[in-house]
Amino acid sequence: MLRFITTNTERNPVLLCLSLWVLFLSICISGTTPRLGAIGRKYGRSAMYSDDYKTFFYTQTLDHFNYRPESYETFQQKYVINFKYWGGATVSAPIFVSLGAEASIDGDVAGIGFLSDNAPQFKALIVFIEHRYYGESIPFGSREEAFRNASTLGYFSSSQALADYAEVITSLKKNLSADYSPVIVIGASYGGMLASWFRLKYPHIAHGALASSAPVLYFDDVAPEYGYLSIVSKDYRETSKSCYDVIKQSWSVIDSVASDENGLAILSEKFKTCSPLNESSELKDYLGSIYTESAQYDAPPKYPVTLICNAIDGAPRGSDILSRVQSGVAAYKGKRNCYDMGEFTGTAETDQGWRWQTCSEMVMPIGDDGKDTMFQASPFDLKNFSRSCRSRYNVEPRPHWILNEFGGKDIKLVLRQFASNIIYSNGLRDPYSSGGVLESISDNVVAITTDKGSHCLDVLHKSWDDPKWLVEQREAEIQIIKTWIDEYNVLRMIQTSKAHRLAR
């Protein structure tokens, strides 16, 4: 069911006109927290895209907010353009810009199809801009040097990234003589947060923003602390209560087996681990990661939560709890000779970069009280989290900074006063929707939700077998964007006409 969520005092806007991987830190689920990837792990840096996309590099300023000599250092920032559908500057054809998140943009170009699927009807230029410190957009000459210590990582922030995007877009429009081409920024997950913040911070550059699955409220105490894992559990409980019960019981069974002599060896054999388990938390982290990832990306046509629960419920009669759980693992990961318990804790560029971001400003207090979920209790502990960040980077996290910089508290009241042209889209089966904007704030700061939607599903490539509710969601978003562009063009024509009259 497609929903335009409005407050009691606002009109429904439809009547008016509509990274990839999972990363883990010591926060929840026996020491794990899910990363904000837009498209799961389907696409990586090796993803290929068509010859219609041309790669460019912009000489970017290292530090936009200081005037010390070192602030004027530069690095090469990657961006990709598709000119195929663009109507050109002479007709003020729009520019769709995808704001890169915590990964190389190669995966975005291949996987985020919203731009290419809709550019033809808008005659839009397509642009993907890479986030600093990811992909090929690395300051200080190399990844090793850029990640050497907190001094070189100190330029790695969302505010610097937004300023990067502002420079690239402004320069691009100037080079294309496209001063009057309206820019619509599009982002998914962390990129969706950046898109909404970009519209708020740079409204003179972006005319509108589509923020897909953007948990802009998952900071400090604005969103429910246990929201993420509550929705994961709800997804499983609604899919199969018996499956939910098996998973909920499995944690204590794992702990009980692990406490016995040779218990870890028994668990290693039962779950076919590639290396012997050193402690039960390795297995619990791995299982927790499977459950959170499957819920976050519970998308058609496979619906991984259903896949896992069907395997757990369909295990041979008499199977014990751990055998049922292992059946779920095999269904999700495929039958293998062994399963790598460290699969979700890699050292790829995304893992490396997001660890810094969460230890500096992206502090999301995800935890669990163990009362209304299928997980063991693991509340967020800022002191322990800060201790791990100091150990790793010798920096103290700033848990309040994002709300100070971009807002979030009393968001309905605040954004109603000055914000416009933002779509916040969320699928309510996405655990991160618990930190999303789920009610429209005004006629043109609009929330669109779908009961069955998952993380960032609306911005992925459309398919012939997409369910009706997903098709309607995308059509609704396109209709809103069309209205923004039409209003922009009318206003521009009025201003041009006034200017001509004054010049006579």
Side-chain angles (χ1 to χ4, degrees), residues 202-215:
Y202 299 96
H204 55 292
I205 297 177
H207 185 62
L210 169 57
S212 173
S213 299

Side-chain angles (χ1 to χ4, degrees), residues 105-125:
I105 57 170
D106 291 353
D108 291 347
V109 176
I112 296 181
F114 188 90
L115 290 81
S116 58
D117 287 344
N118 296 293
Q121 65 173 299
F122 286 93
K123 297 183 179 179
L125 183 70

Side-chain angles (χ1 to χ4, degrees), residues 29 96 140 144 262 345 368 381 454 480 487 496:
I29 317 178
F96 289 172
F140 300 106
E144 291 72 23
N262 297 324
T345 56
D368 182 49
D381 189 325
S454 58
I480 292 175
E487 291 173 348
T496 301

Side-chain angles (χ1 to χ4, degrees), residues 229-230 232-237 243-245 247-251 288 291-292 294-295 368 370-376:
L229 294 177
S230 293
V232 173
S233 299
K234 178 180 70 69
D235 290 348
Y236 272 84
R237 187 168 52 242
C243 171
Y244 169 92
D245 289 339
I247 294 171
K248 186 177 181 67
Q249 296 167 29
S250 68
W251 309 113
Y291 302 143
T292 56
S294 61
D368 182 49
K371 294 179 180 179
D372 191 33
T373 74
M374 63 184 192
F375 299 99
Q376 291 179 310

Side-chain angles (χ1 to χ4, degrees), residues 187-201:
S189 196
Y190 168 51
M193 300 163 78
L194 294 172
S196 67
W197 294 337
F198 191 88
R199 170 61 184 165
L200 296 176
K201 290 289 185 179

Side-chain angles (χ1 to χ4, degrees), residues 287-298:
L287 294 174
S289 301
I290 286 176
Y291 302 143
T292 56
E293 182 182 66
S294 61
Q296 188 164 315
Y297 302 103
D298 192 37

